[in-house]
Amino acid sequence: MTNEETNAAPRKQRMGTATPQAASAAPKVETPAGETDARPAAKTRMGASPAASAPAAPAARTTRMGSDTGMPANPAAVPAPATRMGAAAPGPAPERMDASSRAGRQPGHAASAKTGAPKGFLAGSLASVPWKRAMLTLGLAVVAVVVLVIVARWLRTTPDVQSFLGQYPGHPTLPDTVPTGLPGWLGWQHFFNIFFMVLIVRTGLQIRHEKKAPAHWTPEPNSLFSPKGSTPKKVSLTQWLHQALDILWVANGLVFIVLLFATSQWMRIVPTDWDVVPNALSAMLQYASLEWPTENGWIYYNALQMLAYFSIVFLAAPLAVISGIRFSTWWPDQNSRLSRIYPIEVARAVHYPVMLYFVAFTLVHVFLVFFTGALRNLNHMYASRDEADWLGLGVFVVSVLVTGAAWILTKPLFMRPVAGRFGTLSK
Ligand code: HEM
Ligand code: HEM
């Protein structure tokens, strides 16, 4: 079916009754599918959904630096200046920094590892060797997945669960005026989001693990990176790059949100009915039993996809911004009251786990994009069309190459002159 035809299709036809292509593209879901079609109008459904994994706990770490605060920071803003980052200290910057000594970081993690707390048999003999521990974790994960699949498949044979799946097939109720398809602007926004996100995660991890900053950078007072009320803090070049990318990523995100609401496209990712909850459970069960919900992302996302997309756009992204600002050069650290109300420890406790959530989301999301009809899905997002030819994949490959080029161009060698335009570089 062509794009035009799909768009022209009357609303009732679009929902409930799957388009011919959709029906052929996706195997029918045993139990609920038939009844789904009989659901009242204005209910649409969809297919591949990235299951949003819960963020993992932050890993303990022993080294870091990068976001050094060279200027004497407001003590209220940074509770233990001497322990921050090393760079605050004059003379040669310390090469390493025990994470546990940084304010608000890794409470207990590093300490228990070093104090020789009693270890069990596994921890002492097997798990003390890193690769053995990795194999053990992998083995346990495989067993957990197998058990999950067996339990989910068994559940689907029980009459109660079957009637639940019949009642909630996995697609949330959508407003009648929900648009069909993915417009070109959304593809561009989505591309720029990935482009910046890749570089932001990379610079974030560099900040976290950097032993020695490639250079330092101090913003001009009352400038883009150090507005009125903030102290021009000396930070690593990596942190400058992280923050510069943040500006572009947030600008892109704001344009995305404005367009989302200006075009009704928001209806596809913002829940408007509580039935999204049981439907998400239903979709979860269908994924877990390896009989995946019907795939039809051009028309609607399933409840789990909707919740995952909603959470990433409207929860994770704002949390990353709010927590990041707290330890950035933008924070008005002269305002000690504000710094007391919003302690830096809170921001630290949020920022890294949010990154883990972004990464976990992306892994599951991309896995499902590729395993639920890659060509068609990529055409949706990268070519704005509901076809299963190679165009979308071609555009996607070009977008990966562009992102790869940016990866190379954002090395310190190329970034120094750019950073120099926004502040003063130093060793
Ligand atoms: C406007 C948005 C953001 C701002 C203002 C911001 C700002 C910052 C700053 C200032 C640091 C240095 C912290 C320090 O001194 O240790 C940092 C670290 C980091 N950022 Fe961001 N960031 C933002 C968004 C993001 C996003 C979207 C991600 C990933 C999805 C991310 C991942 C990280 C990571 C992994 C670190 C290292 C954290 C650690 O050492 O524990 N940031 N960020
Ligand atoms: C290589 C990486 C990625 C690929 C190939 C990809 C691909 C796609 C595709 C094909 C869709 C449409 C799904 C469908 O038609 O069923 C989609 C939707 C979406 N993706 Fe991605 N994605 C990637 C990375 C990301 C990242 C990193 C994020 C955010 C952190 C993200 C957020 C979203 C959101 C929010 C939607 C729903 C957009 C809407 O309809 O308003 N994606 N993605």
Side-chain angles (χ1 to χ4, degrees), residues 274-360:
W274 280 109
D275 75 358
V276 72
V277 176
N279 275 308
L281 280 175
S282 159
M284 217 181 276
L285 189 64
Q286 293 173 52
Y287 280 117
S289 65
L290 299 186
E291 284 173 36
W292 292 2
T294 330
E295 161 69 17
N296 200 2
W298 185 252
I299 300 176
Y300 41 72
Y301 297 130
N302 72 35
L304 211 50
Q305 267 179 306
M306 179 184 256
L307 288 182
Y309 295 155
F310 177 81
S311 72
I312 213 79
V313 175
F314 296 102
L315 301 176
L319 275 178
V321 175
I322 295 165
S323 56
I325 282 181
R326 180 60 181 88
F327 32 71
S328 72
T329 58
W330 291 304
W331 182 253
D333 37 26
Q334 284 167 10
N335 188 334
S336 52
R337 193 157 163 265
L338 211 58
S339 298
R340 251 199 326 274
I341 295 173
Y342 180 14
I344 199 163
E345 293 84 347
V346 174
R348 291 209 184 284
V350 169
H351 204 65
Y352 184 65
V354 168
M355 191 268 319
L356 291 178
Y357 181 71
F358 268 107
V359 173

Side-chain angles (χ1 to χ4, degrees), residues 61 64 67 84 102 105 197 200-201 204-205 207-208 239 242-243 246 249-250 320-321 324-325 327-328 330 348 351-352 355 358:
R61 52 177 234 211
R64 68 154 282 119
S67 57
R84 261 185 73 88
R102 294 196 76 207
R105 289 189 169 273
M197 179 71 43
I200 288 175
V201 171
L205 291 176
I207 293 174
R208 194 170 165 87
Q239 179 170 330
H242 188 74
Q243 287 191 219
D246 292 335
W249 176 68
V250 169
V321 175
I325 282 181
F327 32 71
S328 72
W330 291 304
R348 291 209 184 284
H351 204 65
Y352 184 65
M355 191 268 319
F358 268 107

Side-chain angles (χ1 to χ4, degrees), residues 70-203:
M71 300 289 287
N74 182 341
V78 183
T83 64
R84 261 185 73 88
M85 278 340 239
E95 295 287 292
R96 281 171 170 264
M97 184 84 191
D98 189 331
S100 59
S101 68
R102 294 196 76 207
R105 289 189 169 273
Q106 313 299 337
H109 274 145
S112 68
K114 285 183 185 156
T115 49
K119 292 175 175 174
F121 169 75
L122 270 184
S125 58
L126 241 184
S128 57
V129 185
W131 71 265
K132 281 188 181 164
R133 201 177 321 172
M135 294 305 288
L136 189 69
T137 313
L138 192 68
L140 288 175
V142 170
V143 172
V145 168
V146 171
V147 171
L148 185 75
V149 172
I150 293 171
V151 170
R153 291 189 82 89
W154 169 75
L155 277 174
R156 289 191 69 157
T157 63
T158 62
D160 284 351
V161 170
Q162 281 179 0
S163 88
F164 173 77
L165 289 175
Q167 195 182 350
Y168 299 106
H171 17 96
T173 302
L174 297 177
D176 283 338
T177 50
V178 65
T180 297
L182 285 92
W185 64 261
L186 198 130
W188 278 104
Q189 298 294 314
H190 182 263
F191 158 68
F192 280 121
N193 175 63
I194 300 170
F195 179 86
F196 293 127
M197 179 71 43
V198 165
L199 301 173
I200 288 175
V201 171
R202 176 205 194 194
T203 47

Side-chain angles (χ1 to χ4, degrees), residues 199 202-203 206 210 212-217 236-241 406-420 425-426:
L199 301 173
R202 176 205 194 194
T203 47
Q206 281 171 341
E210 220 165 34
K212 189 172 185 335
H216 287 90
W217 174 88
S236 76
L237 181 62
T238 321
Q239 179 170 330
W240 169 77
L241 181 56
W407 180 283
I408 295 167
L409 289 173
T410 46
K411 293 200 178 235
L413 173 70
F414 303 111
M415 283 301 105
R416 263 176 235 260
V418 187
L425 284 166
S426 56

Side-chain angles (χ1 to χ4, degrees), residues 395-414:
V395 179
F396 168 69
V397 170
V398 172
S399 83
V400 171
L401 293 177
V402 170
T403 311
W407 180 283
I408 295 167
L409 289 173
T410 46
K411 293 200 178 235
L413 173 70
F414 303 111

